[in-house]
Amino acid sequence: MAHAYQKITETARLIAARYPSAIEVGIITGSGLGGLAEAVEERVSIPYQEIPNFPVSTVEGHPGQLILGRLAGKAVFLMQGRAHYYEGYSLEEATFPLRVMRAMGAGVLMVTNAAGGLNPRFRPGDLMLITDHINLLGMAGETPLRGLNDERLGPRFPPMLGAYDSKLIKLAQEVGKRLGIILRQGVYIMLAGPTFESPAEVRMLRRWGGDAVGMSTVGEVIVARHGGMRVLGISLISNLAMAENHTAAPDTHQDVLAAAEKAVPKLIRLIKGVLERI
Ligand code: HPA
């Protein structure tokens, strides 16, 4: 872990050499949502391959660049694409960039993802503010915090009560109302993927209290909370998770990307509106 701390400070120093301002907000864009990066002003882009220790995503719809610049007046560290557990990274490796954004000053994380809707009232294209999560991988033993704890990074036993900041949720709801963007709220369940859920799994996840299901985000939120960041999580409901063996064609990654791209303008307006008022 001392080794990890050194890697974090080294990587933060290298990035700061390209973008010397202190960072205020970290943003992660999920599948198909990378269009948000184009709204960043005075931007410096660095491909993940050029950043030591950064995990590189191999998934279509995840361009894999770090964007530094200003969005709605705030200095942002925007990750255009993320690495996932199913790509072969441990959660600790996949969440390394969170440690770096924190080391560069970010006090707030805005994390987005494309997710399958479990709540029968949801429709593709809806935005859902995450109010809580169910950490299926964590319950099964995989967490980014496994191993010796480095107190410089955070406490051994971080609480998950209030992980999704109620003030930020309230602020996002106010901004949504003002902009005419309907925002759902709900519980996000993370599982490892890359398979989409079977019908029996969808029924189980619904009964467990999930509103949306996806393959990212929870590890990132855990690391952000461990480091003391406040978190706003937003899921774009890109498809409805399927509970029946119906005859319609199953969802594909292309469907997920298409729905995400359509929702990008709405998401950009919401995120900018929230940033203005943080
Ligand atoms: N399931 C899991 N992950 C997802 C889905 C889904 O239906 N849609 C987008 N990410």
Side-chain angles (χ1 to χ4, degrees):
M1 267 305 219
H3 183 53
Y5 191 80
Q6 206 173 11
K7 282 206 292 193
I8 295 161
T9 43
E10 269 169 24
T11 306
R13 215 178 35 234
L14 278 169
I15 297 171
R18 302 272 295 267
Y19 189 80
S21 304
I23 299 297
E24 293 164 280
V25 178
I27 301 175
I28 306 178
T29 64
S31 292
L33 298 172
L36 185 59
E38 274 141 48
V40 176
E41 289 159 7
E42 301 166 28
R43 64 173 180 266
V44 172
S45 313
I46 315 177
Y48 293 158
Q49 290 98 314
E50 293 177 16
I51 309 175
N53 310 310
F54 255 51
V56 176
S57 172
T58 57
V59 189
E60 189 189 346
H62 284 263
Q65 308 187 66
L66 172 61
I67 313 284
L68 303 141
R70 300 196 85 84
L71 189 58
K74 298 287 186 308
V76 298
F77 178 115
L78 185 148
M79 295 177 59
Q80 196 182 27
R82 56 155 68 88
H84 301 79
Y85 181 73
Y86 61 74
E87 294 177 77
Y89 296 104
S90 70
L91 283 179
E92 187 183 356
E93 288 163 343
T95 57
F96 179 78
L98 277 289
R99 296 293 187 195
V100 176
M101 72 170 74
R102 181 65 176 138
M104 294 183 70
V108 171
L109 171 68
M110 288 189 179
V111 58
T112 68
N113 58 53
L118 294 168
N119 185 321
R121 287 195 294 273
F122 290 0
R123 291 291 164 263
D126 282 357
L127 294 178
M128 181 191 93
L129 300 176
I130 305 175
T131 54
D132 202 350
H133 68 223
I134 294 177
N135 181 9
L136 268 186
L137 270 77
M139 291 172 170
E142 176 62 22
T143 156
L145 305 182
R146 186 157 178 267
L148 277 180
N149 187 58
D150 186 334
E151 291 286 328
R152 290 172 293 185
L153 299 178
R156 172 75 286 187
F157 298 109
M160 284 293 122
L161 178 65
Y164 299 85
D165 190 272
S166 56
K167 287 204 181 99
L168 291 177
I169 290 173
K170 190 158 167 271
L171 176 58
Q173 284 290 9
E174 283 167 16
V175 170
K177 207 166 273 171
R178 193 158 46 81
L179 298 175
I181 299 171
I182 296 166
L183 296 172
R184 313 278 196 170
Q185 292 196 13
V187 173
Y188 178 90
I189 300 189
M190 180 196 183
L191 27 76
T195 48
F196 287 116
E197 301 67 43
S198 72
E201 286 164 350
V202 170
R203 290 192 295 272
M204 180 195 85
L205 296 172
R206 275 188 187 143
R207 281 196 211 114
W208 280 3
D211 296 292
V213 58
M215 307 171 192
S216 66
T217 304
V218 169
E220 296 154 357
V221 171
I222 288 171
V223 169
R225 292 300 299 150
H226 185 240
M229 298 173 78
R230 295 197 297 139
V231 175
L232 179 68
I234 308 170
S235 289
L236 162 72
I237 306 302
S238 58
N239 58 288
L240 301 179
M242 286 175 290
E244 287 85 38
N245 282 310
H246 55 50
T247 48
D251 295 317
T252 65
H253 187 55
Q254 297 312 324
D255 298 329
V256 171
L257 293 183
E261 264 150 38
K262 265 204 278 188
V264 165
K266 186 162 75 166
L267 188 69
I268 292 176
R269 288 195 296 138
L270 176 68
I271 287 186
K272 278 177 141 179
V274 173
L275 281 172
E276 275 163 17
R277 294 181 49 191
I278 282 182

